[in-house]
Amino acid sequence: MKNQSLTFPTRPFSTRGGAKVPHRKNTAAMETVVMPAPKEVIIPMSQHIGAPCNVIVRQGDHVDVGQSIGENDSFVTAPIHASVSGTVKKITEITMPNGAKAKAVVIESDGEMTLSPYAEPPAAETKEQLLLAIKRSGLVGLGGAGFPAHVKLSIPQDKKIDTLIINGAECEPYITSDHREILENSWDILSGIKIIKDLLDVHRVIIGIENNKPDAIKTLTQIAANEAADPDDEIRVLTLKSSYPQGAEKVLIRACTGRKVPAGKLPADVGCVVMNVTSVAFIAKYLKTGIPLVSKRITVDGSAVKEPKNVIVPLGTPIKDVIEFCGGYKCEPKKILMGGPMMGIALTDDSMPVLKQNNAILAFDEKDAKLMEETDCIRCGNCLKSCPMSLMPQAIAGCVKLKDVKGLEKLNVMTCMECGSCAFNCPAHKHLVQTMREGKAMVRAESAKKAEEKKKEEAKKNEQ
Amino acid sequence: MSSNMYVSASPHLRSGISTTSVMRDVVIALLPSVIAGSIIFGIRALLIVALTVASCVVSEYISRKVMKRSNTIGDLSAVVTGVLLGLNYPVGINPVMAVFGGVVAIVVVKQMFGGIGQNFVNPALAARIILLVSFPTDMTTWATPFYYTQGAVDAVTSATPLAQNAAGNFGGSYMDLFLGNVGGCIGETCALAIPLGGIYLIARKVISPIIPVTYIATVFVLAFVMGQDPLFHILSGGVMLGAFFMATDYTTSPITSKGKIIFAVGCGLMTMLIRVYANLPEGVSFSIVLMNILVPHIENLTRPRAFGEIKNKIKGDK
């Protein structure tokens, strides 16, 4: 994409496949409530993609809200901060939702929520200062992926970014936390957009929102049309079709610009940067107040929750305390999800703390949690029809069964983003996402093996 | 905390469709043809269809039991095969043959290859062909429509429009073909009832319109090119039933859109070649079964390009 004068699309570009998921946005009209400090928070040192942080506090230390408790010198990482004021009770190891082990700091709250004296508005005059500030804020992609924000915003010299896309699609059922952010915090979103826009020097900002949120579209359109706020008319809202997975990065870029991110490449390769609405609003707030990422708005919903609502919770609050705050369980929960029903992770129990990239906690009763029995594939082709990436999940499943790595590569299994549209539409109730993950793991293992062999060979050659 | 939580891979939400719901839709879509067949050929037609369904379901149950596999009659696929096979019989067929056809379709063609989703040709069509080859006379003795209203006990024989056409003496009108007032199989004569069910399936998104539309269009165009009457060719014989219900069988048709087009064009081409140049008056069953065999290759050749897939890796790129 060269530097042509860019126009704003009036209608989204067409995207392929997807699933007609039910919306179930039960909490969309509910004002967010702030949860008081819990008795105890558990803060894992790995809440992002990249290097886990090292604990820099000791047992018995007193910490304040916003005080850094985990740091790492590597570039791809994000510092971790205390979310309540109190005493460090212990440093333990917990199992993360994805099965990995991580160190965690347990802080006993004193109930005061005293703000750390170091939490001051950071200097952000130059580009470098701003990026450093964003790094210090501990911000990771709040849409769910958890990619450190400063890494995403450090664009390599050879890449020219011309479009900033703000992701307000929120295509997962149940979740309304971004929706509430737009309604309750719209001016922060706009200031955040302006900060990033100047940082990246882009003149086209597209805010993508699904058409099932007319009030959010109206609010942001009004602000974006405001002369004083956006004098050059460089920020506009684009109403997207509400079809899952509209908020997936590659799909969103396609819908907003018509560009296709090549396999294995990043959005920056097609001149785009995508940021979540809540992330940009957080940057604006952080530059104003200097309070790092210590709390998060999450949607608590599902058939087993008594009073579904949107809550701002201190990070690290155990899920059972959050549910307790929402009136407790209506019945025995049979499935607890971190995230939405399409891509969320099922937890083994409710002691897991709320993480940075969390945007929902859903608890379901027996009826909703029950797994459907797998039957034989009838080759209906629904999986291919619903794949936004044009993959053939049924053929990939065949290769996985045969452990045919070449076949998997040919079928582009690595392009799969695990959105779950194929499994959603499968009449045989196949666990297709799980199968795709197995396939991806096989390809990864194979390429690791090849790299190892190559290394050995080279070492041999060098010896000779 | 209870430890009996369901922990599974995402997605945790499903659309609610199942193999059973899909097959139920197909059965519903076949009802107009069954009703039309029963009106045109009398209550015997209904009994033959019911007998074939029973034969298929019992065969499925017994063969799964013998093979020590789970019972799958609940998915209704055997019912669909039974109805389709029944609709492909002449009304005067010997009931023993009708039952035998069901056994062949389910046991030999479907279950011996691994059951639902694994058969490489359409079970109903394969069984019909086997019967046609084994009992050519019985399978091509057609009843005159509404013979039962004229007090005849046994079906009075008549030729199918295609046979009459081949002999150059078809005297009916398009209206006769459209309403099914001609000789033929139970379910293939009424060109009104079949698309009715087909449209239901398309509206319910059970089948895509690509195969039926392409198939019928190919037959139409080729008939015209070959100097035949195009409308006659799409309305007579098994084209309608084949295009909407046989060629669209999930297991034996390509899942890619391009593949579907190639498949349907192939079916149409074969149908017309057999009808015009071969010794047989009708070629729908053979054409679909022949194209069924090509499905894996068609699918391989028409794999859609993945999102952002780089077409050719540049050679020498380091």
Side-chain angles (χ1 to χ4, degrees):
Chain A
M1 289 298 144
K2 290 277 147 340
N3 226 352
Q4 331 156 324
S5 76
L6 288 162
T7 51
F8 283 88
T10 46
R11 268 187 307 154
F13 291 85
S14 69
T15 51
R16 184 190 188 278
K20 277 206 167 56
V21 297
H23 297 309
R24 299 190 188 160
K25 305 275 193 188
N26 312 321
T27 51
M30 295 181 194
E31 191 92 16
T32 313
V33 284
V34 181
M35 186 178 159
K39 262 202 218 108
E40 181 180 282
V41 289
I42 305 155
I43 305 179
M45 288 296 114
S46 180
Q47 302 187 38
H48 47 260
I49 292 169
C53 290
N54 302 314
V55 182
I56 56 164
V57 287
R58 260 177 289 177
Q59 196 173 337
D61 281 1
H62 179 84
V63 289
D64 291 324
V65 175
Q67 185 180 331
S68 173
I69 54 169
E71 296 275 354
N72 191 309
D73 289 334
S74 59
F75 179 62
V76 185
T77 188
I80 310 274
H81 303 89
S83 57
V84 293
S85 58
T87 331
V88 176
K89 196 170 151 197
K90 61 179 173 187
I91 290 151
T92 91
E93 199 177 61
I94 64 163
T95 310
M96 300 294 283
N98 62 7
K101 299 262 184 207
K103 277 224 166 90
V105 174
V106 182
I107 303 170
E108 200 169 38
S109 167
D110 58 11
E112 303 283 322
M113 292 302 257
T114 333
L115 198 59
S116 159
Y118 301 107
E120 289 179 333
E125 265 115 60
T126 66
K127 233 171 145 171
E128 287 70 33
Q129 279 177 334
L130 181 58
L131 281 174
L132 187 68
I134 292 172
K135 181 174 181 181
R136 289 233 177 99
S137 74
L139 178 64
V140 298
L142 297 180
F147 193 71
H150 68 279
V151 182
K152 190 187 257 185
L153 293 171
S154 307
I155 308 293
Q157 286 285 314
D158 57 333
K159 287 185 185 133
K160 172 85 186 107
I161 304 298
D162 59 15
T163 307
L164 172 63
I165 297 169
I166 304 299
N167 189 352
E170 207 164 52
C171 53
E172 278 262 16
Y174 292 100
I175 308 182
T176 57
S177 55
D178 284 348
H179 187 177
R180 289 314 302 178
E181 181 79 25
I182 294 172
L183 295 182
E184 295 169 19
N185 222 350
S186 39
W187 283 100
D188 272 342
I189 295 175
L190 187 83
S191 359
I193 289 173
K194 285 170 88 176
I195 293 163
I196 306 297
K197 186 163 115 24
D198 292 342
L199 172 72
L200 299 172
D201 190 29
V202 292
H203 300 282
R204 179 168 79 155
V205 182
I206 302 170
I207 307 171
I209 305 175
E210 276 191 1
N211 62 11
N212 61 357
K213 295 178 263 294
D215 48 349
I217 294 169
K218 204 175 140 208
T219 311
L220 282 187
T221 309
Q222 269 170 6
I223 291 178
N226 186 314
E227 274 291 313
D230 179 25
D232 301 320
D233 193 21
E234 293 176 340
I235 305 169
R236 286 204 204 162
V237 176
L238 179 66
T239 307
L240 304 171
K241 250 192 342 184
S242 41
S243 87
Y244 181 84
Q246 203 63 209
E249 200 167 55
K250 285 181 175 181
V251 178
L252 186 68
I253 292 173
R254 176 84 177 146
C256 289
T257 65
R259 298 175 194 169
K260 269 188 182 179
V261 181
K265 300 274 180 173
L266 294 170
D269 293 295
V270 292
C272 296
V273 164
V274 182
M275 291 202 80
N276 175 273
V277 272
T278 309
S279 301
V280 286
F282 169 77
I283 291 176
K285 257 183 292 182
Y286 176 67
L287 293 189
K288 255 189 309 196
T289 62
I291 304 172
L293 188 59
V294 290
S295 64
K296 181 83 205 284
R297 176 189 284 103
I298 56 173
T299 301
V300 185
D301 201 348
S303 49
V305 176
K306 216 174 233 165
E307 299 160 18
K309 53 176 79 152
N310 278 299
V311 209
I312 290 181
V313 293
L315 293 176
T317 307
I319 286 173
K320 59 172 175 286
D321 292 358
V322 181
I323 303 255
E324 203 59 44
F325 180 70
C326 296
Y329 294 113
K330 204 156 49 177
C331 52
E332 200 196 348
K334 280 292 177 178
K335 193 177 235 176
I336 297 179
L337 299 182
M338 202 171 235
M342 292 301 284
M343 288 188 77
I345 301 173
L347 304 174
T348 49
D349 59 66
D350 59 5
S351 61
M352 182 63 61
V354 172
L355 307 175
K356 283 181 183 177
Q357 65 269 47
N358 249 184
N359 37 25
I361 290 169
L362 305 175
F364 293 105
D365 59 15
E366 173 82 33
K367 193 175 139 271
D368 287 342
K370 211 158 180 203
L371 296 175
M372 270 184 280
E373 207 186 318
E374 272 190 316
T375 52
D376 288 329
C377 170
I378 55 171
R379 282 179 37 87
C380 64
N382 275 359
C383 51
L384 164 67
K385 219 162 51 186
S386 49
C387 181
M389 299 284 117
S390 305
L391 302 177
M392 294 171 87
Q394 147 268 5
I396 290 172
C399 287
V400 169
K401 215 171 175 183
L402 297 171
K403 298 198 165 58
D404 174 9
V405 177
K406 272 218 178 91
L408 287 170
E409 278 170 351
K410 199 182 132 205
L411 292 167
N412 295 297
V413 68
M414 296 313 276
T415 307
C416 172
M417 53 186 184
E418 300 169 19
C419 69
S421 301
C422 51
F424 179 83
N425 286 322
C426 179
H429 313 127
K430 292 272 181 205
H431 301 307
L432 285 167
V433 173
Q434 192 170 325
T435 312
M436 300 294 270
R437 282 186 192 140
E438 276 174 52
K440 286 162 90 170
M442 280 178 201
V443 173
R444 266 191 224 113
E446 184 72 17
S447 52
K449 213 170 96 188
K450 266 188 199 155
E452 189 101 322
E453 272 167 20
K454 214 174 168 186
K455 235 184 188 170
K456 268 186 195 162
E457 238 167 65
E458 262 166 34
K460 239 184 196 171
K461 255 185 208 165
N462 289 347
E463 268 174 36
Q464 286 165 356
Chain B
M1 192 63 221
S2 64
S3 56
N4 50 350
M5 267 279 220
Y6 291 101
V7 180
S8 61
S10 60
H12 309 283
L13 199 63
R14 301 291 176 123
S15 61
I17 66 161
S18 64
T19 305
T20 311
S21 75
V22 168
M23 294 301 163
R24 194 186 299 126
D25 271 342
V26 179
V27 173
I28 292 170
L30 282 167
L31 285 180
S33 299
V34 174
I35 294 166
S38 313
I39 293 170
I40 297 164
F41 296 110
I43 193 76
R44 189 188 160 91
L46 191 64
L47 292 175
I48 291 288
V49 173
L51 187 64
T52 321
V53 170
S55 157
C56 285
V57 173
V58 171
S59 305
E60 172 123 334
Y61 180 78
I62 293 174
S63 57
R64 297 288 294 192
K65 196 111 203 176
V66 169
M67 293 181 199
K68 296 197 170 65
R69 289 185 178 156
S70 61
N71 176 17
T72 51
I73 58 167
D75 68 19
L76 300 182
S77 63
V79 176
V80 170
T81 304
V83 177
L84 280 173
L85 185 57
L87 293 178
N88 267 301
Y89 287 146
V91 70
I93 192 174
N94 182 337
V96 179
M97 283 178 204
V99 170
F100 177 68
V103 175
V104 169
I106 296 296
V107 178
V108 180
V109 187
K110 189 178 167 194
Q111 291 302 341
M112 283 195 176
F113 285 91
I116 190 167
Q118 299 293 327
N119 46 289
F120 66 99
V121 288
N122 187 316
L125 283 182
R128 185 198 178 179
I129 290 172
I130 288 168
L131 287 188
L132 190 65
V133 179
S134 314
F135 315 105
T137 323
D138 294 78
M139 285 298 285
T140 51
T141 304
W142 314 106
T144 312
F146 302 104
Y147 69 93
Y148 60 96
T149 57
Q150 289 140 16
V153 182
D154 276 329
V156 183
T157 55
S158 108
T160 64
L162 280 166
Q164 289 169 343
N165 188 50
N169 59 0
F170 174 63
S173 66
Y174 289 136
M175 204 35 125
D176 288 335
L177 289 170
F178 192 59
L179 296 175
N181 191 17
V182 289
C185 297
I186 294 169
E188 69 178 23
T189 61
C190 184
L192 166 69
I194 301 162
L196 212 64
I199 288 165
Y200 171 77
L201 287 185
I202 292 168
R204 295 273 293 161
K205 295 210 159 93
V206 171
I207 61 167
S208 113
I210 300 175
I211 290 179
V213 169
T214 317
Y215 191 163
I216 294 168
T218 309
V219 168
F220 190 87
V221 170
L222 281 177
F224 183 75
V225 172
M226 289 171 171
Q228 301 268 333
D229 178 354
L231 204 54
F232 170 80
H233 271 282
I234 61 166
L235 290 176
S236 59
V239 169
M240 284 288 173
L241 192 66
F244 280 104
F245 291 101
M246 304 289 201
T248 53
D249 172 34
Y250 285 153
T251 310
T252 55
S253 66
I255 62 169
T256 61
S257 301
K258 269 189 220 154
K260 283 187 167 92
I261 296 173
I262 296 171
F263 174 82
V265 168
C267 287
L269 179 71
M270 301 259 215
T271 303
M272 283 315 289
L273 287 178
I274 294 171
R275 277 187 179 182
V276 178
Y277 296 112
N279 228 345
L280 291 163
E282 173 60 314
V284 170
S285 313
F286 286 102
S287 71
I288 296 174
V289 166
L290 284 172
M291 289 310 290
N292 284 165
I293 297 167
L294 292 177
V295 164
H297 304 291
I298 297 174
E299 224 164 68
N300 248 338
L301 294 173
T302 56
R303 182 176 68 79
R305 201 126 67 81
F307 187 97
E309 183 179 342
I310 301 143
K311 207 175 187 180
N312 295 312
K313 275 184 188 151
I314 307 149
K315 276 180 188 163
D317 189 19
K318 279 165 197 170

